[in-house]
Amino acid sequence: MYDFLIGPMLALSLVVFIAGIAYRVYQFFSITEARPKPEANLPKDLARTVAAREKDEYLRIDSAADILLKWKLRLKRTILGRAPVMSSVTIVFHTMLFLLPVVTVGHSILLDNYFGISLPTLSETTVDTLTLVFIIVIFFFLFRRIFVAKVRSVSTWRDYLALFVTGAPFVTGYMAFHHWFDYKTVLYIHIICGELMLIAIPFTKLVHMPFFILSRFLIRYELGFGKGSRKWVENT
Amino acid sequence: MAVVNGVDPDEIRKLLDQKKHMEVFLSVCVSCGMCADSCFLYVNHNKDPSYMPSYKAVHSLGKMYRKKGKVTREELEEMKELVYKKCVLCTRCYCPVGISIPGMIAWARNICRSQGVFREYDERDSENIEMKQHV
Ligand code: HEM
Ligand code: HEM
Ligand code: SF4
Ligand code: SF4
């Protein structure tokens, strides 16, 4: 059973995960197109204004206070400045989501055995504490979804499914580490949950992982991070 | 398919198919509710959830995609309020994931209009009457 779970089953979930993400990236490029650059032949003074806007240079900087003000205004335009609590929580959540599976001692041994990759790990107690923090954050999201009116009004089963699929590997990993119930059974369930999460990423709303990067860096719009070289295709 | 009860699902379907990216938007929305406070209508209506940008998109265009265009007349009439009255298409909504909501609401309007559902400017509802009293 164990050999199957960390052999063919792991290979299968990795293949589905990678192929699924690749398909989503392909899909993104098929529903977007390269954007013509009309600002290239604007009159000179207009072009200067556009360039200033791109570089965010409206404000004359004469003192340190101006720099602070500029950053304050910048921040106010983003989710970080508008919803600082929720932003901090979600940054902690997503950082741990990527970090914890990589630095877990148990995983590191597996990776070393399989691929000969040895990554740095954190001590078992640190990982364990952070896992507990992560689980608390998962419950914070769950309660928020149930009790905050605006979030509840757009929640359906798919949102609870995504939360469950994301939380399950951490909860079961925690249980395995503490040898709650039968260790072997819990570990098997943990591995299955971890693999299900990988499989679920391309097919549930967890697909926001590649989408976020593609949309906010490649699409040209007010909130983009990058230069914005593409736009959505209309009327396909 | 024939026109059923004043709704032409084929035509709706055709319009939906023209905006593939909007179907993708609806599938990546994490329903986090972070767009709510960027909408001044939401903020100025006692934070009534039905004014939240993603609520308006999911319950209009989202519903049309889910039902593959087979929406009823009653459902279109319900959407009318959401897409015409509860959004002014000011394009200020902020979504951290990178979804563009006003375009979806505008397209939902377009589809409603194709079925003869549009804003009636001489409509007398309680809100309008109240406003007239102030003038
Ligand atoms: C896919 C195959 C996976 C295998 C074979 C696996 C295996 C293991 C093993 C052997 C442990 C150590 C248990 C112990 O110390 O006794 C562990 C712990 C852990 N796993 Fe996994 N795991 C997998 C996937 C995942 C995934 C996808 C995640 C999260 C995204 C995850 C999160 C964790 C965490 C957070 C712990 C540490 C729990 C703690 O120390 O409190 N695992 N896993
Ligand atoms: C580069 C990668 C990613 C980025 C930039 C990203 C970004 C975001 C953002 C902006 C939100 C909305 C704010 C919030 O509700 O917390 C969110 C929510 C969420 N993300 Fe991610 N995400 C990424 C990867 C992932 C992955 C890999 C998973 C799971 C395997 C995941 C699971 C979730 C879940 C479950 C929520 C919803 C929390 C709720 O119910 O409110 N994310 N993500
Ligand atoms: S902020 Fe974006 S992802 Fe979150 S609910 Fe609104 S539209 Fe959906
Ligand atoms: S476009 Fe509509 S939903 Fe978005 S902020 Fe303006 S009124 Fe609100």
Side-chain angles (χ1 to χ4, degrees):
Chain A
M1 178 71 175
Y2 184 69
D3 288 335
F4 172 73
L5 285 180
I6 61 164
M9 187 62 196
L10 181 59
L12 179 73
S13 32
L14 282 174
V15 167
V16 172
F17 170 66
I18 292 166
I21 299 276
Y23 170 70
R24 289 303 196 149
V25 174
Y26 163 80
Q27 182 190 44
F28 176 85
F29 281 93
S30 73
I31 57 175
T32 59
E33 62 193 2
R35 178 186 68 91
K37 291 195 173 57
E39 70 271 20
N41 23 4
L42 281 177
K44 228 184 188 159
D45 43 345
L46 262 183
R48 213 177 301 127
T49 321
V50 171
R53 190 185 62 207
E54 305 267 296
K55 290 204 226 89
D56 206 15
E57 283 175 353
Y58 288 125
L59 221 66
R60 240 179 64 201
I61 308 280
D62 286 333
S63 65
D66 287 352
I67 298 181
L68 264 180
L69 179 63
K70 178 172 177 170
W71 276 99
K72 219 171 130 188
L73 289 176
R74 262 192 191 171
L75 214 59
K76 269 282 172 232
R77 291 205 304 257
T78 70
I79 225 83
L80 287 172
R82 287 179 166 272
V85 176
M86 185 59 188
S87 308
S88 324
V89 173
T90 197
I91 288 170
V92 169
F93 173 83
H94 284 91
T95 311
M96 300 222 281
L97 181 64
F98 283 91
L99 184 77
L100 285 183
V102 178
V103 298
T104 302
V105 176
H107 295 179
S108 198
I109 295 169
L110 262 178
L111 278 175
D112 203 7
N113 287 349
Y114 260 101
F115 306 106
I117 313 171
S118 55
L119 295 166
T121 55
L122 293 177
S123 80
E124 293 203 320
T125 39
T126 316
V127 171
D128 192 43
T129 314
L130 291 178
T131 305
L132 188 60
V133 173
F134 186 90
I135 294 170
I136 294 169
V137 174
I138 282 276
F139 276 95
F140 166 78
F141 280 142
L142 180 65
F143 288 132
R144 186 173 171 271
R145 203 162 279 296
I146 297 172
F147 295 113
V148 177
K150 65 178 176 191
V151 188
R152 189 175 55 229
S153 76
V154 284
S155 298
T156 55
W157 59 271
R158 72 182 201 117
D159 301 297
Y160 292 99
L161 177 77
L163 261 183
F164 178 78
V165 165
T166 312
F170 291 85
V171 174
T172 51
Y174 190 81
M175 286 163 65
F177 180 74
H178 288 272
H179 289 244
W180 291 355
F181 310 108
D182 177 40
Y183 177 72
K184 260 209 146 91
T185 318
V186 172
L187 186 64
Y188 290 174
I189 296 174
H190 169 69
I191 300 173
I192 293 170
C193 287
E195 287 165 349
L196 280 183
M197 185 187 101
L198 289 178
I199 293 174
I201 288 177
F203 305 109
T204 61
K205 72 173 191 176
L206 302 181
V207 68
H208 68 274
M209 175 175 108
F211 181 89
F212 166 89
I213 299 164
L214 294 167
S215 173
R216 293 203 66 177
F217 283 89
L218 295 184
I219 297 289
R220 183 173 176 87
Y221 74 127
E222 306 92 292
L223 307 171
F225 289 138
K227 277 251 171 272
S229 55
R230 301 185 74 78
K231 64 184 184 92
W232 302 108
V233 175
E234 306 285 326
N235 303 325
T236 37
Chain B
M1 202 190 299
V3 175
V4 184
N5 195 11
V7 180
D8 182 353
D10 282 343
E11 191 177 6
I12 297 182
R13 194 59 203 267
K14 221 176 76 202
L15 291 169
L16 289 175
D17 284 345
Q18 286 179 18
K19 305 281 175 178
K20 282 267 181 283
H21 62 288
M22 294 187 181
E23 196 171 4
V24 174
F25 285 169
L26 289 156
S27 73
V28 289
C29 170
V30 290
S31 320
C32 61
M34 308 259 276
C35 47
D37 290 300
S38 62
C39 177
F40 72 101
L41 286 175
Y42 170 81
V43 174
N44 288 332
H45 280 87
N46 288 322
K47 310 213 163 194
D48 174 350
S50 68
Y51 281 89
M52 176 162 104
S54 70
Y55 182 97
K56 291 178 269 193
V58 167
H59 290 270
S60 57
L61 196 67
K63 198 171 208 172
M64 295 180 194
Y65 274 115
R66 260 198 317 284
K67 301 198 140 192
K68 300 191 165 56
K70 295 197 192 96
V71 284
T72 63
R73 190 95 211 148
E74 291 72 33
E75 284 167 328
L76 284 178
E77 292 292 340
E78 280 167 25
M79 290 174 200
K80 176 172 126 180
E81 166 121 354
L82 279 183
V83 298
Y84 285 104
K85 260 171 81 179
K86 297 196 168 179
C87 173
V88 297
L89 300 183
C90 68
T91 71
R92 283 191 211 150
C93 11
Y94 181 113
C95 165
V97 180
I99 293 168
S100 156
I101 298 164
M104 292 198 274
I105 298 178
W107 198 240
R109 281 191 184 183
N110 219 18
I111 294 176
C112 283
R113 205 177 286 118
S114 78
Q115 304 303 311
V117 174
F118 39 75
R119 180 161 207 163
E120 287 150 53
Y121 288 94
D122 55 354
E123 198 178 354
R124 286 180 65 104
D125 57 22
S126 52
E127 218 174 316
N128 276 341
I129 290 167
E130 212 176 285
M131 272 167 46
K132 277 185 193 120
Q133 284 168 348
H134 286 297
V135 177

